[in-house]
Structure formats: structure tokens, C-alpha cells
Amino acid sequence: MAEAALNTAPNVELELTDGFHLVIDALKLNGVNTIYGVPGIPITDFGRMAQAAGIRVLSFRHEQNAGYAAAIAGYLTKKPGVCLTVSAPGFLNGLTALAHATTNCFPMILISGSSEREIVDLQQGDYEEMDQLAIAKPLCKAAFRVLHAESIGIALDRAIRAAVSGRPGGVYLDMPANLFGQVISAERGRRSLVKVIDGAPAQIPAPDAVKRALDVLQGAKRPLIILGKGAAYAQADEAICALIQKSGAPFLPMSMAKGLLPDTHPQCAGAARSTVLRDSDVVMLIGARLNWLLSHGKGKAWGETPKKFIQIDIEPKEMDSNVEITAPVVGDIGSAVAALLEGMGGNWPVPPADWINGVNAKRDENIAKMAPRLMNNNSPMDYHAALGVLRTIVKERPEAILVNEGANTLDLARGVIDMYRPRKRLDVGTWGVMGIGMGYAIGAAVETGKPVLAVEGDSAFGFSGMEIETICRYKLPVCIVVFNNDGIYRGTDVNKAGSDPATTVFVKGARYDRMIEAFGGVGVNAVSPDELRRAVNAAMDSGRPTLINAVIDPAAGSESGRIGNLNPQSKLRKS
Ligand code: OXT
Ligand code: ADP
Ligand code: MG
């Protein structure tokens, strides 16, 4: 071995290491103790060795779900979630999740085995040949290839820094099969490893930016604070809570920011959403982008009242992305909110009473309107009946993590189920993507050790449903409630042109509960709110993997849930 020749010291047995072990050592050195992935050539042995070295390696049934688990791990912990895939097809399966992480600003690293450069670059048809680095580049914050074992330490350091610093996001690390087998002296290997120091340095906002923001906020007659998932990610919970209370302004949590302050907080305007968007005059965005979910900050939803925006974000390029930001505050949310709080001093004026009273009246009216619908006892259930049950269960178990996807199942659950603690609501995010369900449930259970309640449309569940085997295999405390309305949006569509089923309907009366029984989990068919309540409580008490088939009236939903207006036909009708 060439290394042995370098060893001139007589009678010293040369200790060697290799690419496999250097990746493991570099991960461990940087506190990565969990990997989500799917094994196969060339990373099967790597998975085994990582497990032997004390890293928890969770093996999935499909890389996309492993990737979603890693993405949500990043969101929950502020450390990059790591996903490990095989070359070409495995890599591509994981790539959707990497792009999702980047879009949602979650730190994640996709490590993929790949084919040998010499063969890929000459396109000579290697096993699972693909130029993965080139494909990954536009879909993540950074993409690196490691060709030498001695570069593994630096590569992982750079990947971690790229994922967590500034606006967090996804990073791709390409590891050709040869790399894992490369042997170098253990001493050289040790010296090549790097521990990341201060990977996400505080970004203190400029004092004049803070002052400008406070001047604008102080001039408001109808202030509103919008909290986005960036605020939840920042883990500056106490400071954010203090800022909101001191401001006296109503706050509107975006979907995954629900629970940063309880939805039942007297300043929460979640149930008066249209009113506060339309009538506010100064809007402070904290870790929320003015994208489609906020109607780009303009148009009908924002009403006629001229607005001034204050935006707190770590990404300077986010400012003015859709409308002029009167007071940009570029910095990390922890530092920015602390600076704002300090600048507010002890005597901040409360907003005018007519604004607060008006918002509260609208909120109370909407809540009162919804209340009776949540108590109906219909069988089959409608969405409100089923969600009324889950709302109470989450209130009684505020530590549980709620995963939510679907269309009606998502939109109605968002409004009905109050959240009480930060980072407890995990959902489809910026892309409105179906398929995050089981990956998120697994990632959340593994990273937090808390029970997970996954509320899933029957279509949404189908995107990752096979992972119930993974949930059973690892004995994770996950209770899945499938809102089974026989299809996408509704189960009532009919194809008038032929004998094939309509494109949005599924097998009528399917029994999703029976799927989990195949793997030793608990399956329950619930046709009434009482049955649903009993089944979810039993699952949450026992911690056993459970799937409840909640039978929902197939006619109860609406096309695309709350975003039917985005369908092209609906736009045509309007124009
Ligand atoms: O103020 P007003 O009066 O307006 O009232 C508002 C609130 O104030 C009030 N409110 C309350 N009232 C009383 N009490 C309380 N507590 C309360 N809280 C709020 O309620 C209203 C509404 O409030 P909300 O929801 O906050 O406001 P609004 O206006 O809806 O907010 C706007 C948005 C845009 C912020 C919000 O709607 C939002 O966040 N939407 C996200 C929508 C989304 O992302 N949807 C998912 C994508 S849909 C579609 O694309 C689907 N696909 C295609 C597909 C996808 N997505 N992905 C992939 C990989 N492939 C394909 C598919 C296949 S969905 C789907 C499957 C669907 O079928 P399922 O079977 O899974 O699901 P079902 O539909 O159940 O069958
Ligand atoms: P939501 O969908 O909840 O509105 P978005 O994903 O649109 O939230 O916005 C999150 C924003 O938070 C992004 O613009 C991102 O740059 C920002 N962000 C994430 N982490 C931090 C942080 N620690 N400090 C400041 N801004 C952050
Ligand atoms: Mg459905």
C-alpha cells in the first residue's frame, strides 16, 4: 500500500482509515447523530458502518420520504438533517425533498453515492450513471463533489455551513463510489476533519434599520404583525412573544408559525385573517415572505388602505420582492427582535382601541360561527365534526406534534385546530406539496421523542403511505388519521365520457386502517366523532403506531380546498 511506503518509522504499525470512516467521523464530530435514507450500491456498507459507530440510521421505503424526514429534522433542530441515497434513481427520489428544503428555508444535506467520474464524464454507461452534481445545483443552496478521502472533512464543514448560515436551505454532497474505499493514514484522516465553529453566526441588524422600523411601527394606527415559519425556525420564542405583547398589535401566524404564541392568545388574529390583511396600515413581517400565501402583499386581499411594510429577514434579497418594504430589517430574527425590543423601551404606546376592538369583534364572530359546526355528530362525518374532535385532543395534548396535508383536510384543520406551542404544526409549506406526511411524522418523532398526530387527506396519505411499515418497524409513537372521503377534494366526481373512474376519485369505502395491520400496527375504522375520539386517545396514550380510517362524507369537501381560486378555470371565469 502506498501509505505504508510513506511510513518511515520502524516497527510502528500504520493505522489506516478510509472514506467510509472519514464520513462517519466527520458527521459525528459535527453532532450529526441521525441519518435518514435508503441503502444500496454504493452506500450499503456505509449505512452499516454508521450504525455500528453509533449513528442512528433510519432506513425508509422511498428516498423522498427519507428526504422529507431530513428536511423537517433540520427545521426542528436548526442542524442540517442528513439524507443518504444511492446513485441516479435514488438521488433523484431524494432531490424533490432537497428542493423542498431549499424552498422552505430548512437546512438539509443530501449525501448521495454516485458513479465514477471517469465513466460518467465520457458517458460510457456506468451502473446508474448520471451527472448528479449538475442536476442538483439549481435546486439547492450549494452542491459539492468530494473526490479525495482527505477532502471529506472540509466538504462536510462547507456543506453544514452552507445549509445553516444565512437563509437556511438544502445542500448536495456528491460522493462517487471510489471515495468510500480510498485508504489513507488514520493520522492524516484525523487532521483532515473540521469541526464547524459558529456555523450560523448572529447577524445583527444595523441600528438605523431598527430605528426606522420602530418609527414606522410607532406611527401605525392599525398595526399587524405576521409571523412566518422563519420566526418559528429561529427559536427566539421568548423574545418574539415579548415583542408582540409589548407592541399590543394583533398578530397573524402563518400556518407553521401557529403556536409560537397560542392561537388562543388575546392578540391572535388568525380567526380575523381577511380583516387584518385588508384594514391594517402597518404590517411587520417576521420570518414570512410576501409570496402567494400572502397574495404577494397586494391586490384585493390587502384592501384599499395604503400599507407600510416592515420586514425582518436574514436574506437581504427578500426585501422588495413583491412590494416596497418601507423598513427592511436584515438580520437574524433573534438579534433583530432583541434590538427592536430594546429600542421600544419601557413605555410603548398601545394601538388605538377602535382597531383592537374591531379585530377582536371579527375574530370572536368567526369563532362563534364555527363553534356549533365542530360539535355535530354526523355519520359519516363532515370535516368539522372530525376536526372538532382532534382540536380538543390537541388542546389536551399540546406537546404532541401535528403533521397535516391534503386540500380540505389541510385547510380546515389549519383553521379549526388551535396550536399552543412553537414548532408543533408541520405541513405542506411553501409549495403546498403532497407527500410530506409520513416522512415528517417519522422525522418529528425521531428528533423530538414526542407523540405525532398526522392528519392526512386520503390522497395526501397515498404519496408516502408505504412508510407505515417504517413507522411500525421503528415502533414510533405516530397516530395517523386518514380523512377518507374517497378521493381528491371529493369522492363524488363522475366521468361522463366513459367507464373509467373520474380522475379525482378512489376506490369507494377503502379501508386504510387494514394496511397498518399488515405490519403489526393498530388499525381502526371510525365512522363517528365518538369512535374517532376514542381511537385517537387510545393511540396517543399507548404510543403504538396506529392508523385510523376516518370516514368522511364524500360530498363534504370543495375543489382544491381554500385555494380553488388558483385553478385556471376559476381564473378564466373571473376574467
Ligand atoms: O377572515 P376570514 O373571514 O377570511 O376567515 C378566515 C379566517 O379568519 C377563519 N379562521 C377561523 N374562524 C374561526 N375559528 C378559527 N379558529 C379560525 N381560524 C381561521 O377561517 C378563514 C380561513 O382562514 P385561513 O385558512 O387562515 O385563510 P385562507 O384565506 O385560506 O388563507 C389563505 C392561504 C393561502 C394562506 C391558505 O389557504 C393556505 O395556507 N393554503 C395552503 C393551501 C395549500 O397549500 N394546499 C395544498 C395544495 S392543494 C393541491 O395542489 C393538491 N394536490 C395536487 C398535488 C400537490 N399539491 N402536490 C403534489 C406533489 N402532487 C399533486 C393534490 C393531489 S391537494 C391534493 C390532494 C387533496 O386530496 P386529499 O384527499 O388529500 O384531501 P381532501 O381535500 O381532504 O380530499
Ligand atoms: P411562511 O411560509 O410561514 O410565511 P416563509 O417560508 O415564506 O414563511 O418565510 C420564511 C422566511 O424566514 C424566509 O424569508 C427566510 O429567509 C427567513 N428566515 C429563516 N430563518 C431565519 C432567521 N433565523 N432569521 C431571520 N430570517 C429567517
Ligand atoms: Mg380526500
Side-chain angles (χ1 to χ4, degrees):
M1 188 157 299
E3 295 301 329
L6 292 175
N7 181 11
T8 50
N11 300 326
V12 174
E13 204 180 311
L14 182 60
E15 198 194 340
L16 298 174
T17 188
D18 57 24
F20 286 116
H21 288 94
L22 285 168
V23 178
I24 291 166
D25 292 347
L27 289 169
K28 287 180 73 171
L29 181 67
N30 283 290
V32 176
N33 43 29
T34 308
I35 296 175
Y36 303 90
V38 176
I41 298 169
I43 47 126
T44 317
D45 284 335
F46 174 74
R48 292 193 183 109
M49 292 178 196
Q51 196 171 40
I55 293 181
R56 192 163 192 205
V57 184
L58 288 113
S59 234
F60 282 65
R61 305 299 293 255
H62 191 289
E63 291 88 351
Q64 190 176 109
N65 306 317
Y68 285 139
I72 209 63
Y75 170 73
L76 289 168
T77 63
K78 295 184 91 175
K79 292 194 298 191
V82 173
C83 176
L84 181 68
T85 63
V86 304
S87 13
F91 156 77
L92 286 175
N93 286 344
L95 197 57
T96 306
L98 188 71
H100 168 82
T102 306
T103 301
N104 284 275
C105 315
F106 301 160
M108 168 182 169
I109 300 175
L110 176 66
I111 300 179
S112 184
S114 61
S115 310
E116 301 318 333
R117 294 314 310 163
E118 297 82 347
I119 306 181
V120 175
D121 289 346
L122 266 178
Q123 298 175 22
Q124 292 176 310
D126 203 359
Y127 169 71
E128 295 188 346
E129 174 183 303
M130 174 176 276
D131 190 356
Q132 297 172 194
L133 187 73
I135 290 165
K137 263 183 189 161
L139 298 172
C140 55
K141 273 185 82 179
F144 306 107
R145 176 179 296 129
V146 200
L147 290 176
H148 303 293
E150 217 169 332
S151 306
I152 286 170
I154 283 292
L156 198 83
D157 171 289
R158 299 195 69 191
I160 293 173
R161 281 189 183 279
V164 298
S165 60
R167 170 181 278 174
V171 175
Y172 175 59
L173 259 189
D174 192 82
M175 297 200 171
N178 268 347
L179 175 78
F180 293 105
Q182 282 179 30
V183 176
I184 62 171
S185 82
E187 180 51 28
R188 261 172 69 193
R190 264 192 295 275
R191 277 193 269 118
S192 72
L193 297 182
V194 186
K195 186 168 164 56
V196 175
I197 298 162
D198 198 15
Q203 296 200 17
I204 317 284
D208 59 339
V210 173
K211 181 171 181 319
R212 193 185 301 120
L214 288 175
D215 288 346
V216 174
L217 187 63
Q218 198 155 25
K221 296 203 166 50
R222 294 184 295 283
L224 169 66
I225 297 177
I226 298 182
L227 299 173
K229 56 178 158 344
Y233 172 81
Q235 298 196 14
D237 308 338
E238 275 180 31
I240 290 171
C241 189
L243 176 79
I244 286 182
Q245 287 181 334
K246 194 177 260 190
S247 76
F251 71 91
L252 180 67
M254 299 299 287
S255 195
M256 282 177 58
K258 277 165 73 79
L260 203 40
L261 284 82
D263 284 330
T264 49
H265 189 283
Q267 285 167 260
C268 182
R273 186 177 195 272
S274 304
T275 304
V276 289
L277 291 188
R278 192 186 57 227
D279 296 341
S280 52
D281 65 350
V282 169
V283 180
M284 178 187 271
L285 299 153
I286 307 183
R289 286 171 284 187
L290 283 174
N291 56 15
W292 71 281
L293 290 155
L294 282 169
S295 311
H296 305 280
K298 55 197 171 195
K300 202 167 142 236
W302 289 88
E304 300 297 315
T305 311
K307 310 271 183 231
K308 286 184 177 167
F309 287 98
I310 304 164
Q311 182 159 23
I312 304 176
D313 205 289
I314 202 155
E315 174 58 64
K317 292 199 297 290
E318 187 56 40
M319 305 299 160
D320 303 336
S321 62
N322 284 271
V323 295
E324 183 190 80
I325 301 299
T326 315
V329 182
V330 175
D332 73 277
I333 287 169
S335 303
V337 170
L340 287 165
L341 265 173
E342 199 186 322
M344 286 165 101
N347 209 6
W348 190 258
V350 287
D354 60 342
W355 169 238
I356 300 299
N357 294 341
V359 173
N360 290 351
K362 184 66 196 171
R363 179 196 64 202
D364 295 346
E365 181 191 322
N366 275 351
I367 290 176
K369 224 188 287 171
M370 191 195 276
R373 301 190 65 186
L374 301 177
M375 292 182 323
N376 85 63
N377 215 21
N378 296 341
S379 176
M381 297 177 278
D382 62 21
Y383 285 92
H384 285 88
L387 289 170
V389 167
L390 301 182
R391 170 189 163 96
T392 306
I393 289 172
V394 170
K395 185 176 180 186
E396 291 164 355
R397 302 170 189 269
E399 278 306 317
I401 292 180
L402 179 71
V403 172
N404 189 199
E405 59 176 339
N408 296 280
T409 305
L410 171 86
D411 289 340
L412 294 168
R414 184 179 57 247
V416 169
I417 301 179
D418 287 330
M419 303 305 298
Y420 300 87
R421 306 270 161 85
R423 295 170 294 282
K424 296 296 183 190
R425 185 185 155 82
L426 311 176
D427 70 22
V428 298
T430 306
W431 270 345
V433 67
M434 299 297 111
I436 47 91
M438 298 305 104
Y440 271 23
I442 294 168
V446 166
E447 298 293 336
T448 68
K450 305 282 183 213
V452 175
L453 177 62
V455 179
E456 301 273 312
D458 50 344
S459 163
F461 172 70
F463 285 73
S464 66
M466 193 63 211
E467 301 297 345
I468 55 177
E469 187 276 331
T470 313
I471 290 169
C472 290
R473 188 165 16 111
Y474 290 99
K475 300 186 174 56
L476 297 173
V478 176
C479 171
I480 305 147
V481 181
V482 175
F483 274 44
N484 185 359
N485 65 345
D486 293 347
I488 299 177
Y489 314 136
R490 270 191 306 264
T492 51
D493 228 358
V494 176
N495 168 20
K496 297 196 184 86
S499 56
D500 275 349
T503 54
T504 56
V505 301
F506 297 152
V507 168
K508 307 265 177 238
R511 290 289 301 275
Y512 292 94
D513 51 310
R514 293 194 176 147
M515 289 172 63
I516 201 166
E517 289 172 358
F519 308 113
V522 179
V524 181
N525 189 47
V527 298
S528 70
D530 280 345
E531 285 176 6
L532 180 61
R533 181 178 305 105
R534 271 199 298 278
V536 177
N537 274 323
M540 303 297 273
D541 286 341
S542 71
R544 286 187 63 192
T546 300
L547 194 158
I548 300 160
N549 183 58
V551 181
I552 303 290
D553 180 353
S558 56
E559 179 101 354
S560 300
R562 294 273 304 169
I563 56 171
N565 59 312
L566 297 183
N567 284 314
Q569 277 296 349
S570 156
K571 284 189 176 160
L572 277 180
R573 272 194 295 275
K574 256 194 260 163
S575 60

